[in-house]
Amino acid sequence: FGECLRDLGLGAHLACALSPESACSLAYLVHRTGEDEGKLSVRVSRAHCFESAFADFSDQVFRGTFDPDGRRCKVFPVFRNEEGGEAFECGEGHGPRKEFFDLCAADLGRAQGATDPGADAPLFSHSRSMGKFWFNLGLMKSERNKERYTFVGWLLAQSIFNRTKLALDLSEAVFQTLVLDPQQYDPSIAYLRGVDPEAARSLENVHNLPQGDFESMLQLEGYPRGTAREEFVRQGVRAVLVGAVSWQSEALAQGFHSVLDRESSAAYFGCARKLREAVCGEPAEERLSSKRVSLRDVFVVQCDEELRDSWPDLDDALWQVLDAWPLPKKLDFAKFVTGTDRLPLPKTEMIKVELPFFAFSDHDHARLLGTLPQAHTCENLLELPNYWESLLHVRGQGAGGGARQDLLAELRRTLDDRLSFAVANCDTYALDTISHHAGEGAVGAGREVAVAAAGAAVGDQGGLFGSGMGPPTPQASAEAVTHEEMEFLAEDRLVLSPQAPGANGAVHGGTPASTPGKKHVLDASIDEMVDELGIEL
């Protein structure tokens, strides 16, 4: 499609009719097909993602192993194992990439010095009057800080070509010099009023000053005598939005334009507002607050054949539950499965739903009812236990009429219960495998997994919970797990982390004693069946 657009001479000419996200997709399509795409493997720490990425990026540029100029590249983050040592999580896919950009944005929006006195001063600070993040006016001008701003600009532009967002709530004014020549950028008081009402009111107050006071102000501020009030206001606006942040915005633009030049930025996005929305996105709560959103309208949903053909009741119940959730909870589900709560352009991403777990005996089915869903964000994959099959097996296969309706209601309660618990207790995304030799350009073969359990660690380096199960959330609305089943689950099936719980009750960093395979829930039952049948393997 991108090649067709270029051959027809269209490309950026279509952008004026597109939304910010669509213009972003258009730029990605046209430039991705027109040029060779580079790759950058960057070693980072989750705790200090932006600064560790900047350090590794700078090291690679300094040693000549990576040239950032004019390169649109896919970023492959390699996360340092936070347990210590020099081990790195090895994995690839879109999930780790989205997590990397989200963590960088969170880092940039954090007042680093408040929690780590030895850290670099923050590049941006939240402006109360703007209600957005603005350049840190108290930051000392230095070569290092200019390079940090340049790296931010580079990341902002690369987010377009990595199909993600650097979700920092930056002021629209930050993006003006990315689409306009700074020499020609002459913001008005009306524009300042829109982005910083308090600063605008302060400047406009000069119209209310007595002439003598105004002349004294001119002298104090170093303006020529006889300067008109309108001219004073005009220059004041330029000082606030341009002069006071000239070196910061220049460094940011240098990094951004090394990936997408000013002419292309203006052609695709037209104005700073549209570019800001394309690169940083806008909170889905604001964009969708007045709408009733179905996740099936946003994502292409692909169910495996077993779910679609053999268990349509389970499929229907799943979407009845998700469609009934309020928007914030839907966004939590989107983050659980895709790695970010910022919804994509409708129908540009896929969610896959699979039934990977097997059950054979009565005991197996009872256990399966207590199993939590899990997700692989590299593929936007939701792995769902077959609660319907197990309910039919445990409660009565031949149920019909009113009994069947009661079972379907219990199915919906069970799905709501287990999904709610998994989504609410998963705040960390980790990878299946680790390596002690993570170098530049080397991308491992593992993939990330998101799982959750009561008081247990979220999926870590291949770490599920022994058998991939977690206990059901203690809500009275779901009765799918009996007291006896709860006791069974609590016996020795979970490997719990000894570390202190995190902010939301989940514990970080738990590592199970063994790493089971994908069809892992009922391995013991399979062994028993093999022994009973006398099969020799």
Side-chain angles (χ1 to χ4, degrees):
F1 179 65
E3 291 176 355
C4 291
L5 291 175
R6 285 190 298 106
D7 293 342
L8 292 171
L10 295 175
H13 298 293
L14 293 176
C16 61
L18 300 177
S19 68
E21 288 184 330
S22 298
C24 210
S25 298
L26 178 65
Y28 169 78
L29 283 170
V30 172
H31 288 279
R32 185 172 181 269
T33 54
E35 305 166 16
D36 291 334
E37 190 175 57
K39 293 184 178 181
L40 173 67
S41 176
V42 57
R43 296 173 294 181
V44 297
S45 163
R46 282 191 174 88
H48 306 284
C49 194
F50 173 78
E51 295 299 344
S52 59
F54 170 68
D56 194 62
F57 176 86
S58 300
D59 182 59
Q60 293 189 50
V61 172
F62 177 77
R63 290 188 288 107
T65 57
F66 181 75
D67 179 9
D69 289 334
R71 294 295 301 277
R72 299 174 181 88
C73 68
K74 278 286 186 292
V75 178
F76 292 88
V78 183
F79 291 105
R80 185 181 297 275
N81 178 23
E82 304 299 341
E83 295 298 316
E86 288 301 313
F88 290 83
E89 299 171 354
C90 292
E92 60 181 308
H94 200 41
R97 188 174 300 119
K98 287 184 287 189
E99 182 191 4
F100 167 72
F101 278 88
D102 276 354
L103 288 173
C104 282
D107 245 13
L108 290 168
R110 188 181 300 125
Q112 290 97 328
T115 55
D116 186 357
D120 287 310
L123 297 174
F124 301 94
S125 59
H126 193 269
S127 169
R128 180 180 58 81
S129 57
M130 287 184 170
K132 306 283 184 183
F133 280 93
W134 181 239
F135 296 108
N136 182 1
L137 300 179
L139 188 65
M140 181 185 300
K141 181 180 179 180
S142 67
E143 286 303 313
R144 175 174 174 81
N145 284 333
K146 286 197 288 187
E147 289 172 356
R148 291 168 70 212
Y149 275 119
T150 300
F151 184 55
V152 174
W154 187 86
L155 282 176
L156 286 169
Q158 292 292 0
S159 69
I160 297 172
F161 301 100
N162 283 266
R163 296 183 296 113
T164 186
K165 308 289 183 189
L166 191 71
L168 180 65
D169 197 15
L170 293 169
S171 169
E172 172 189 315
V174 170
F175 294 85
Q176 287 289 0
T177 55
L178 300 183
V179 294
L180 298 174
D181 187 328
Q183 302 304 317
Q184 299 175 356
Y185 176 42
D186 190 19
S188 66
I189 186 65
Y191 181 77
L192 181 62
R193 201 179 297 125
V195 297
D196 192 342
E198 287 189 16
R201 280 196 297 271
S202 178
L203 285 172
E204 289 179 303
N205 280 339
V206 302
H207 293 296
N208 302 322
L209 289 177
Q211 184 61 28
D213 291 346
F214 178 63
E215 289 178 357
S216 297
M217 178 181 285
L218 290 179
Q219 185 177 1
L220 183 65
E221 298 289 341
Y223 283 86
R225 188 171 183 175
T227 300
R229 297 181 189 237
E230 290 76 10
E231 179 61 18
F232 179 87
V233 170
R234 190 189 71 81
Q235 292 192 34
V237 171
R238 184 168 177 82
V240 170
L241 296 179
V242 182
V245 295
S246 58
W247 69 268
Q248 296 98 320
S249 58
E250 181 180 340
L252 187 84
Q254 180 183 349
F256 191 92
H257 293 147
S258 70
V259 179
L260 191 67
D261 60 47
R262 182 177 284 112
E263 182 180 1
S264 297
S265 301
Y268 283 110
F269 303 104
C271 64
R273 179 195 59 79
K274 197 170 180 180
L275 177 58
R276 194 206 78 83
E277 288 187 22
V279 172
C280 296
E282 70 177 327
E285 291 92 339
E286 295 180 11
R287 184 179 55 190
L288 304 171
S289 58
S290 62
K291 303 177 183 177
R292 185 169 180 83
V293 180
S294 170
L295 292 170
R296 285 179 290 182
D297 294 334
V298 177
F299 295 94
V300 176
V301 178
Q302 181 183 40
C303 299
D304 67 10
E305 292 183 5
E306 182 183 4
L307 175 61
R308 185 184 65 245
D309 298 338
S310 301
W311 305 103
D313 290 324
L314 177 62
D315 187 32
D316 290 343
L318 170 65
W319 293 107
Q320 287 174 26
V321 167
L322 293 176
D323 287 343
W325 280 4
L327 179 59
K329 200 169 177 182
K330 289 177 182 177
L331 297 179
D332 289 341
F333 175 81
K335 183 173 183 178
F336 179 69
V337 178
T338 71
T340 180
D341 60 0
R342 292 183 179 255
L343 300 180
L345 195 66
K347 302 300 183 181
T348 59
E349 285 196 30
M350 178 183 294
I351 284 181
K352 302 175 184 177
V353 185
E354 294 184 357
L355 302 177
F357 308 108
F358 291 140
F360 297 99
S361 66
D362 293 345
H363 191 63
D364 294 338
H365 282 289
R367 291 180 62 196
L368 198 64
L369 289 174
T371 303
L372 292 175
Q374 64 186 51
H376 296 270
T377 61
C378 58
E379 299 180 31
N380 291 1
L381 172 63
L382 174 67
E383 293 183 337
L384 188 70
N386 194 335
Y387 299 123
W388 182 229
E389 181 185 26
S390 294
L391 273 175
L392 289 173
H393 191 93
V394 172
R395 301 287 188 259
Q397 180 72 41
R404 177 180 174 81
Q405 294 306 312
D406 291 343
L407 274 182
L408 287 172
E410 185 174 356
L411 171 63
R412 290 189 291 272
R413 290 196 300 270
T414 302
L415 278 166
D416 186 33
D417 193 51
R418 305 299 181 268
L419 282 167
S420 296
F421 189 86
V423 168
N425 288 275
C426 179
D427 69 342
T428 302
Y429 290 80
L431 300 173
D432 287 347
T433 57
I434 61 174
S435 168
H436 294 274
H437 307 285
E440 298 86 353
V443 181
R447 63 176 185 165
E448 80 284 6
V449 60
V451 293
V458 180
D460 188 28
Q461 290 88 41
L464 309 182
F465 304 104
S467 62
M469 324 190 315
T473 178
Q475 295 183 9
S477 60
E479 302 175 353
V481 181
T482 65
H483 178 70
E484 291 75 21
E485 292 161 2
M486 282 288 291
E487 289 181 341
F488 176 82
L489 291 172
E491 285 173 0
D492 61 350
R493 305 301 175 180
L494 297 177
V495 181
L496 301 182
S497 169
Q499 300 182 20
N504 70 343
V507 177
H508 302 274
T511 304
S514 62
T515 303
K518 185 173 182 181
K519 304 277 189 180
H520 48 270
V521 175
L522 307 164
D523 294 340
S525 298
I526 295 175
D527 292 339
E528 292 170 4
M529 182 186 303
V530 167
D531 292 339
E532 288 176 9
L533 296 176
I535 300 174
E536 201 172 288
L537 298 179

